[in-house]
Amino acid sequence: MQELLLLLLPVAAASGWWAARSSARKEKKKYVGETDPVYFRGLNHLLNEEPDKAIDAFVEMLEVDSDTVETHLALGNLFRRRGEVERAIRIHQNLIARPALTRDQRAQALLELGQDYMRAGLFDRAENLFRELRETKLHVKPALKNLLVIYEKERDWQACLEIAEQIESITGDKMLLQKSHYHCELALAAKLAGRVSEAQTHLKRALNTYRGCVRANHLQAQFAAAQGDYRSTVKILRQTADQNADYLPEVLPDIVNGYRQLGELNDLRTYLAELAKAHPGAGAELVLADLVKEQEGEDAAATFLVEHLTTAPSLPLLMRGIELNSRMADGQSVRFLETLRPHIKRLLDDKPVYQCAQCGFAAKTLHWQCPSCRSWSTIKRRAVIEPEA
Ligand SMILES: [Zn+2]
């Protein structure tokens, strides 16, 4: 409350100043500032810690005319920034209701009110205002950007595509990656609804829009696998992993499955060995250890794990080593290894393994759009899962 008081006092003073200036200009004698009874009433409410009534008084005192619009806007803005959205809405609504506003001032007030509604989570109302702004051709860029946020929240991907194209045409900035994700979303929705050919069409558009979109490539590979075309699955995903190793942990299981379906375990082993060397910690070592066990038995796998733990230690690898050794060891060693297991499992579970490169948001699963900063393709698995140093 103390803080609000400090904030409102200069506003009150400014209100008096603005009102005085505006009155002086119009040479309309009106008592303002310290002699205005409304000013005193407002101040009184402030001192009595009744900020709502104080604001009403100051807003009432501050006549809306072309000179004071900026003050109203600044006041509303101030409240929104402080998270007091209801007050911001009241001020901006009050402003819009005045017929004295110029076209530009009204547009500015609409933009502010739209942002208040966004902040309050009133997306339907915000959408109407931003659409109105778009029609009036004023503040079109922020209006479109806000509309894009709304349509993304509503998962209206077709509308997102249209808005993205409008933004591209007025700013000249290409939004290829984002548009590719919208096409991927449409492809997934079509696939879920059993409309396979429509899904394929959206996927083609996703790739045509942005050839390097990992998600689109991954989906295409999964579509190929669903049709039994594992050769294509492996080819597409190996290319994807080559171009963007950050997503190797995401695509690796499908690559492994593709090789297995093709019955080419030796080729898989060669490929995994290359990956483990080029990208330690991305998960290839673990799959390789399992494959060594499958082909050569537990002793060979244990030797392999010890080697890799020495050169590239990681918690998942350590966990697998313990699992393997508990089965081979006896008596006291087994009991010792078994006591280690839950601790390592907890260390593994505790760690959020995905992180947004843009804002640092941490997650346990992959999100293509960051839930925090709403950027696309910025969340990646942290390359190496290491125990704390
Ligand atoms: Zn983020």
Side-chain angles (χ1 to χ4, degrees):
M1 188 53 73
Q2 198 69 18
E3 197 193 341
L4 186 71
L5 198 79
L6 288 172
L7 180 89
L8 274 175
L9 277 173
V11 171
S15 310
W17 179 74
W18 271 105
R21 202 178 78 142
S22 118
S23 302
R25 271 199 198 162
K26 290 184 203 151
E27 293 174 305
K28 182 172 73 180
K29 272 288 160 213
K30 187 188 171 206
Y31 291 107
V32 289
E34 283 105 57
T35 50
D36 191 329
V38 186
Y39 177 85
F40 274 123
R41 202 171 58 189
L43 207 55
N44 205 27
H45 285 310
L46 265 188
L47 295 171
N48 287 327
E49 303 203 342
E50 296 171 319
D52 278 318
K53 288 180 184 169
I55 290 157
D56 287 341
F58 290 130
V59 171
E60 182 192 327
M61 185 176 69
L62 191 59
E63 264 181 69
V64 177
D65 60 32
S66 54
D67 287 327
T68 60
V69 169
E70 289 298 323
T71 315
H72 281 263
L73 288 171
L75 192 63
N77 227 321
L78 201 64
F79 281 118
R80 185 176 65 243
R81 282 210 308 273
R82 283 171 51 89
E84 297 178 48
V85 187
E86 273 178 40
R87 284 179 183 148
I89 289 175
R90 228 161 63 212
I91 288 166
H92 291 136
Q93 278 176 339
N94 173 47
L95 204 52
I96 285 167
R98 305 302 169 108
L101 299 191
T102 65
R103 190 167 161 266
D104 279 354
Q105 288 170 334
R106 189 179 145 75
Q108 181 66 41
L110 282 178
L111 179 63
E112 297 292 339
L113 185 58
Q115 283 166 347
D116 299 340
Y117 285 149
M118 291 293 281
R119 188 76 189 269
L122 301 167
F123 298 118
D124 283 357
R125 290 191 196 181
E127 184 188 345
N128 288 335
L129 292 189
F130 292 130
R131 286 166 73 111
E132 187 181 333
L133 273 178
R134 186 178 55 178
E135 303 312 316
T136 60
K137 309 253 185 278
L138 289 166
H139 302 290
V140 179
K141 195 172 142 190
L144 288 175
K145 292 203 163 170
N146 278 292
L147 281 173
L148 193 61
V149 174
I150 294 170
Y151 295 138
E152 281 182 348
K153 278 183 191 291
E154 290 174 351
R155 304 179 62 78
D156 185 346
W157 308 113
Q158 198 60 53
C160 286
L161 277 170
E162 285 156 25
I163 298 288
E165 262 151 33
Q166 289 167 21
I167 293 176
E168 282 181 337
S169 78
I170 63 163
T171 63
D173 300 332
K174 291 287 170 206
M175 299 174 67
L176 302 180
L177 177 66
Q178 245 159 298
K179 278 162 55 183
S180 182
H181 275 292
Y182 300 150
H183 283 299
C184 286
E185 294 283 358
L186 286 166
L188 281 170
K191 188 178 165 230
L192 202 68
R195 301 190 300 270
V196 179
S197 78
E198 191 190 319
Q200 295 278 15
T201 307
H202 283 302
L203 205 51
K204 254 185 221 142
R205 285 187 192 147
L207 288 163
N208 286 340
T209 305
Y210 188 63
R211 190 69 242 174
C213 180
V214 172
R215 186 191 197 179
N217 280 293
H218 195 184
L219 281 175
Q220 199 196 23
Q222 286 174 331
F223 276 32
Q227 288 167 348
D229 182 6
Y230 296 104
R231 183 71 56 204
S232 296
T233 307
V234 169
K235 189 174 164 222
I236 295 166
L237 291 181
R238 279 190 60 159
Q239 258 170 17
T240 308
D242 280 350
Q243 283 158 9
N244 201 332
D246 288 333
Y247 291 99
L248 186 57
E250 316 311 319
V251 298
L252 190 58
D254 285 324
I255 296 179
V256 173
N257 183 49
Y259 270 116
R260 284 188 174 279
Q261 295 291 338
L262 292 167
E264 297 173 356
L265 291 189
N266 287 335
D267 288 348
L268 173 61
R269 193 162 161 173
T270 310
Y271 177 60
L272 288 171
E274 284 166 19
L275 281 183
K277 204 170 166 190
H279 309 289
E285 300 93 337
L286 214 55
V287 188
L288 190 51
D290 290 344
L291 191 57
V292 170
K293 191 180 113 188
E294 192 179 319
Q295 291 187 317
E296 294 173 34
E298 291 190 334
D299 282 345
T303 311
F304 170 87
L305 277 168
V306 169
E307 270 170 28
H308 273 269
L309 273 169
T310 324
T311 52
S314 83
L315 277 180
L317 221 54
L318 186 60
M319 184 71 166
R320 193 58 52 94
I322 289 173
E323 282 166 0
L324 200 60
N325 281 285
S326 325
R327 277 202 295 278
M328 297 192 300
D330 44 28
Q332 212 171 353
S333 307
V334 173
R335 281 194 295 280
F336 172 66
L337 290 171
E338 284 304 319
T339 54
L340 287 181
R341 264 172 81 147
H343 299 302
I344 295 181
K345 186 167 187 311
R346 211 186 58 230
L347 281 173
L348 276 169
D349 289 348
D350 279 354
K351 277 181 178 292
V353 284
Y354 292 87
Q355 195 160 35
C356 174
Q358 196 75 31
C359 72
F361 177 85
K364 285 192 193 292
T365 53
L366 176 70
H367 300 263
W368 286 109
Q369 184 179 25
C370 174
S372 174
C373 71
R374 313 203 61 75
S375 306
W376 289 91
S377 288
T378 51
I379 293 190
K380 285 164 192 175
R381 193 191 285 232
R382 279 192 268 185
V384 185
I385 310 159
E386 293 288 349
E388 302 293 336

